[in-house]
Amino acid sequence: MRLPEQIDIVEVGPRDGLQSLRKWIPTEDKVRMVDRLSQAGFPVIEVTGFVHPRVIPNLQDAEAVCERIARRPGVIYRGLAPNARGAERAAAARVDEIVGLTIASASYLKKNQNMTPEQAGAQAIEAFRIADGKGLRYVLAIGMAFWCPYEGVIPQERVAALVGQFRDAGIRRMYLAGSVGLEDPRHVNELFMRLRDRYPDLELGFHVHNLGGMATANMLAALDGGAAWLEGAICGIGGGIAMPDALGAVGNFPSEDMVRMMTLMDVYTGLDPEAVLAAARDIAGLLDIPPRSHSMHGSTREAVMRWGREHPHEHPE
């Protein structure tokens, strides 16, 4: 494996995690969550989304959250803006980075945003120009980059053509989203390598879901293929999307497990796994949710060794 010496871990829980939670989280608790993530040292935190309240009511307080968070020097606070109107709102709310959105599956795009690929592309480029004009960072999310519940496997060349289109418009930072979490490592690796070889001037990230249980292998495949950052959500919360009702919950990959995995492999993230785990515990309590991570359930080297010291003559069941 060809692993980088260092990567960024982007925390998306306050937006992608909370947007689909089946309860309202008060503004003051959203602020506490973001502040706790800042204290844990995440370099990039996706604070909220600037979407119509009718579409995602859980994020209707986007401006209020941005106004009240304690901004830590060096941390990039970003907001999702799926169209130009959202980008204007995000800029006015003083985010440091705007996330645009398009979808590689035309079928899903129609269901999720009621747009054609041409319309979504035009909105993403306009949002980029708004961000660029105001001196803000911009990253474009390409959703359903690998597999879609309505179309199945997404052809790699379709994604490569999309990336080329946005590169030609001036966008240099994009991420591929495994929006469902049913992609496979070979596909992930091949697509990242294809994009790296074709567009060496781009920075590419990987937004990780884990419905199929292959997220750890997919992360390795993405890093081997040239991914510069990974995106997870504290406690593995959220990640819900417009899926067929029969399918189970589609969760983001837990950030605390992601950080621990990178640390064990000597891939530098700038994050302390124990500090991130402590933040996960606090946030699980704050939101009153069950954490989905292995780390939170004692599946760490430290926890197992501690058990062994405390129970020297017993074997764990």
Side-chain angles (χ1 to χ4, degrees):
M1 291 184 294
R2 293 162 295 184
L3 297 177
E5 291 185 3
Q6 67 178 65
I7 62 164
D8 282 337
I9 301 290
V10 174
E11 171 57 49
V12 303
R15 194 280 301 175
D16 199 17
L18 298 187
Q19 73 172 26
S20 56
L21 211 61
R22 294 186 176 179
K23 61 180 178 180
W24 167 253
I25 301 299
T27 304
E28 56 268 26
D29 287 342
K30 292 189 177 90
V31 171
R32 291 189 186 101
M33 179 182 182
V34 173
D35 289 349
R36 187 66 184 85
L37 293 166
S38 296
Q39 293 165 10
F42 283 96
V44 181
I45 302 172
E46 193 163 302
V47 174
T48 188
F50 295 88
V51 296
H52 198 288
R54 189 170 58 247
V55 178
I56 304 182
N58 277 4
L59 302 182
Q60 61 186 279
D61 54 355
E63 281 85 357
V65 173
C66 287
E67 182 180 358
R68 292 168 56 182
I69 58 175
R71 298 178 185 240
R72 186 185 179 104
V75 177
I76 293 166
Y77 298 94
R78 80 180 192 186
L80 175 73
N83 51 43
R85 170 61 184 143
E88 292 283 6
R89 288 178 57 198
R94 298 187 303 112
V95 301
D96 302 304
E97 180 175 83
I98 293 175
V99 188
L101 176 64
T102 192
I103 307 290
S105 162
S107 300
Y108 184 83
L109 182 61
K110 180 66 176 176
K111 291 177 181 290
N112 190 57
Q113 290 173 262
N114 196 28
M115 288 185 184
T116 65
E118 293 74 21
Q119 290 170 325
Q123 285 291 314
I125 291 170
E126 188 174 351
F128 162 66
R129 289 176 178 153
I130 290 168
D132 194 50
K134 295 182 181 296
L136 301 175
R137 290 171 34 128
Y138 183 86
V139 59
L140 178 62
I142 300 178
M144 298 291 168
F146 305 97
W147 191 88
C148 168
Y150 304 104
E151 295 188 11
V153 174
I154 301 298
Q156 293 185 36
E157 190 52 41
R158 184 193 302 174
V159 179
L162 271 176
V163 170
Q165 170 193 341
F166 294 117
R167 176 188 172 278
D168 290 346
I171 300 171
R172 292 293 183 270
R173 299 179 66 251
M174 307 178 212
Y175 71 74
L176 307 183
S179 306
V180 184
L182 289 175
E183 60 278 0
D184 67 88
R186 182 170 185 170
H187 185 175
V188 171
N189 185 254
E190 287 179 350
L191 181 53
F192 270 96
M193 290 184 72
R194 178 181 295 211
L195 296 175
R196 180 190 64 190
D197 293 344
R198 189 177 300 185
Y199 308 115
D201 58 334
L202 298 184
E203 282 186 84
L204 297 172
F206 181 41
H207 181 101
V208 190
H209 288 222
N210 195 34
L211 184 63
M214 290 183 277
T216 50
N218 289 331
M219 286 190 288
L220 285 177
L223 293 177
D224 180 75
W229 76 89
L230 299 173
E231 306 206 348
I234 202 79
C235 302
I237 59 174
I241 55 176
M243 294 277 286
D245 291 338
L247 285 177
V250 183
N252 288 300
F253 191 80
S255 302
E256 58 270 29
D257 285 348
M258 187 180 285
V259 171
R260 190 169 298 273
M261 177 180 171
M262 294 302 112
T263 302
L264 290 174
M265 296 192 302
D266 289 327
V267 176
Y268 180 75
T269 65
L271 291 160
D272 176 359
E274 293 304 319
V276 172
L277 182 58
R281 289 195 188 98
D282 291 345
I283 288 169
L286 175 69
L287 302 179
D288 191 24
I289 57 169
R292 294 174 173 172
S293 65
H294 291 282
S295 299
M296 284 281 281
H297 291 95
S299 299
T300 68
R301 291 178 179 178
E302 294 80 6
V304 172
M305 290 183 73
R306 184 168 56 250
W307 190 95
R309 290 193 300 269
E310 294 171 356
H311 304 82
H313 303 297
E314 300 178 35
H315 297 286
E317 294 297 332

